[in-house]
Amino acid sequence: MESSQQTPTKNKIKNQHPKRFTNEQIKALESIFEQETKLEPTKKMQIARELSLHPRQVAIWFQNKRARWKSKRIEQEFTKLKSSYNSLSIMFDDLKKEKHSLQIQLQELNDRLKKNRDGDVGVNDDDDRIITSCYGENEDREFIFDELSEIPNWWES
């Protein structure tokens, strides 16, 4: 039992991994990866010789780097899409509010026009300015309101 305590076991040796790559090797691998993300076998052998690594180490480094690179790209795309979605959602909510406001204004104008047709109230200058600003100076306003009033709840579609 004492002899096993003096000599390290296989498990302890496996858990004590020395640093596999030097900073210079990592920099070289990173710069190569920027140029090409996949290596041909001959290129892999050449890089392994130049960096004093095993070809398998180079292959695994590139495989791991591609996986991290892909994951990072997906995360960036997700962030971009989420930002776009949030912007569009805010715009949509603003447009819904504007639509609701315009529906209320249209209903008020239709009510005023109906009262005018029924002879209850005359169109005053403010009403005329509102209608003119909505439809232009030369348009036949009554024709427009007649068409719209014939379509029940046309603004909800």
Side-chain angles (χ1 to χ4, degrees):
M1 185 107 181
E2 285 184 34
S3 62
S4 66
Q5 289 177 346
Q6 291 173 351
T7 58
T9 63
K10 276 187 173 182
N11 289 340
K12 286 186 179 179
I13 292 172
K14 283 184 181 179
N15 290 335
Q16 297 173 355
H17 294 292
K19 190 170 181 181
R20 294 190 177 143
F21 300 103
T22 65
N23 288 337
E24 293 80 24
Q25 290 170 330
I26 292 173
K27 286 179 186 176
L29 290 168
E30 291 280 353
S31 69
I32 295 166
F33 185 83
E34 288 176 9
Q35 297 168 10
E36 51 190 316
T37 58
K38 285 200 170 207
L39 296 177
E40 297 294 325
T42 55
K43 182 78 173 177
K44 178 175 53 176
M45 296 292 286
Q46 175 192 353
I47 293 169
R49 273 194 309 274
E50 290 172 1
L51 299 177
S52 303
L53 296 169
H54 295 287
R56 185 77 183 132
Q57 285 178 292
V58 173
I60 290 172
W61 187 91
F62 267 79
Q63 183 179 7
N64 291 340
K65 180 67 176 179
R66 279 193 303 273
R68 289 189 304 271
W69 179 63
K70 182 180 178 183
S71 178
K72 188 175 183 179
R73 253 189 23 238
I74 290 171
E75 187 177 318
Q76 289 170 343
E77 289 175 15
F78 173 78
T79 302
K80 185 178 174 183
L81 286 172
K82 186 176 180 185
S83 174
S84 294
Y85 171 80
N86 289 338
S87 295
L88 288 172
S89 180
I90 289 168
M91 288 173 57
F92 178 74
D93 289 342
D94 290 345
L95 286 172
K96 280 175 43 179
K97 289 175 188 174
E98 183 180 0
K99 176 186 172 189
H100 181 71
S101 173
L102 290 171
Q103 287 172 338
I104 291 170
Q105 286 179 358
L106 181 62
Q107 186 61 46
E108 289 172 357
L109 290 172
N110 279 330
D111 291 346
R112 287 182 184 176
L113 188 60
K114 186 175 180 194
K115 286 180 184 178
N116 184 33
R117 283 192 186 144
D118 293 343
D120 292 343
V121 177
V123 176
N124 63 32
D125 289 339
D126 288 339
D127 292 338
D128 200 31
R129 274 196 299 274
I130 292 170
I131 294 170
T132 301
S133 69
C134 291
Y135 295 102
E137 193 69 40
N138 297 324
E139 294 189 37
D140 185 2
R141 289 173 240 151
E142 290 184 20
F143 174 74
I144 292 170
F145 284 116
D146 284 343
E147 280 189 358
L148 294 178
S149 63
E150 290 174 7
I151 304 170
N153 300 332
W154 63 270
W155 59 86
E156 293 177 358
S157 55

